[in-house]
């Protein structure tokens, strides 16, 4: 559903199974292997929502009993853009549902003092301008990294872009939509606020550390 008070298009995906799995991810005692599995499962469910408006076309097929006209996805030109490093956790699940999608990577880290996004890697498909790009990052916290990632995708010529995250903060949504009012955000939760260090509260902690067990 669309949230009513957001400055841009935001879709809160509140399916019961997503909310249940997200609760399990939030628990501090959830180990890294279980955390990764839960994120993969949620990402598969989010993939259904973010592709809900994909166009269909009718083709002729033969069933074991009779010929018929049946729907298939028209075009199929998608690109999944993972914001490193934590975006890889969503990418894995998305590719289970969208195996034909091309994949791009954008390396960004947040400066611990300014909280600004610093880019260190960029690799996108050459034909991304002909595709719908789905940018992936588990946390939309300050919004700086998400806005910077989408700016790079736009600079590559892509005009059809969506952003998918696990959890968003109101501050991050405001920053993101100020920079990109045309790009819809799909998220499983909108949490309370950011703390003084730019982390989402109550959140899940550092998504990358929890995915890879690095802290």
């Amino acid at each position: 559903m669309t949230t009513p008070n957001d400055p841009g298009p935001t879709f809160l995906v509140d399916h019961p199974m997503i909310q249940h799995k997200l609760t399990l991810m939030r628990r501090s005692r959830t180990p890294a292997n279980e955390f990764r599995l839960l994120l993969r499962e949620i990402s598969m469910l989010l993939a259904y929502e973010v592709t809900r408006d994909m166009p269909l076309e009718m083709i002729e097929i033969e069933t074991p009993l009779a010929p018929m006209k049946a729907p298939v996805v028209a075009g199929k030109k998608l690109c999944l853009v993972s914001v490193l490093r934590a975006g890889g956790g969503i990418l894995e699940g998305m590719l289970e549902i969208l195996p034909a999608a091309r994949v791009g990577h954008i390396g960004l880290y947040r400066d611990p003092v300014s909280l600004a996004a610093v880019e260190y890697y960029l690799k996108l498909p050459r034909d991304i301008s002909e595709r719908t790009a789905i940018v992936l990052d588990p946390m939309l916290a300050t919004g700086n990294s998400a806005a910077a990632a989408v700016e790079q995708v736009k600079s590559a010529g892509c005009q059809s872009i969506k952003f998918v995250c696990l959890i968003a903060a109101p501050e991050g949504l405001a920053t993101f939509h100020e920079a990109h009012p045309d790009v819809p955000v799909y998220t499983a939760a909108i949490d309370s606020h950011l703390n003084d260090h730019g982390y989402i509260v109550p959140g899940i902690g550092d998504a990358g550390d929890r995915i890879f067990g690095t802290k």
Side-chain angles (χ1 to χ4, degrees):
M1 69 178 183
T2 306
T3 60
N5 299 317
D6 193 68
T10 300
F11 298 90
L12 179 62
V13 186
D14 56 357
H15 190 285
M17 288 308 301
I18 291 180
Q19 298 306 311
H20 171 79
K21 293 176 185 295
L22 178 56
T23 295
L24 300 179
M25 290 184 68
R26 288 184 188 273
R27 297 185 305 184
S28 59
R29 67 176 184 272
T30 299
N33 61 334
E34 183 179 345
F35 189 93
R36 287 193 296 268
L37 177 60
L38 289 164
L39 180 56
R40 177 176 173 272
E41 292 172 344
I42 290 176
S43 301
M44 293 170 67
L45 295 170
L46 288 173
Y48 286 112
E49 290 300 322
V50 76
T51 58
R52 181 179 290 275
D53 61 351
M54 290 181 70
L56 296 172
E57 62 183 359
M58 304 300 289
I59 64 170
E60 296 278 355
I61 66 168
E62 293 276 347
T63 78
L65 298 179
M68 68 171 290
K69 286 189 175 181
V72 295
V73 174
K76 300 183 180 179
K77 283 186 172 280
L78 292 175
C79 178
L80 302 176
V81 180
S82 172
V83 179
L84 300 175
R85 61 182 170 147
I90 297 182
L91 176 64
E92 182 180 351
M94 288 277 182
L95 284 173
E96 289 288 327
I97 304 300
L98 306 167
R102 297 289 177 89
V103 176
H105 292 88
I106 300 176
L108 295 166
Y109 70 88
R110 185 171 61 182
D111 184 278
V113 177
S114 67
L115 302 183
V118 180
E119 182 183 312
Y120 63 89
Y121 183 79
L122 177 66
K123 187 71 172 180
L124 301 173
R126 293 180 180 177
D127 64 348
I128 194 171
S129 62
E130 303 171 13
R131 298 177 178 271
T132 292
I134 303 175
V135 181
L136 313 173
D137 195 353
M139 311 302 284
L140 180 56
T142 65
N144 294 330
S145 293
V150 169
E151 187 59 41
Q152 287 289 7
V153 174
K154 285 184 175 180
S155 296
C158 187
Q159 299 182 7
S160 176
I161 305 171
K162 300 177 180 182
F163 183 85
V164 176
C165 61
L166 184 66
I167 301 175
E171 299 94 327
L173 286 169
T175 296
F176 181 85
H177 285 309
E178 182 179 359
H180 305 291
D182 56 320
V183 177
V185 172
Y186 294 77
T187 184
I190 301 174
D191 278 9
S192 173
H193 64 282
L194 297 180
N195 66 15
D196 293 340
H197 300 287
Y199 283 93
I200 299 176
V201 179
I204 56 173
D206 186 291
D209 284 339
R210 297 199 65 190
I211 290 168
F212 300 108
T214 49
K215 191 173 182 180

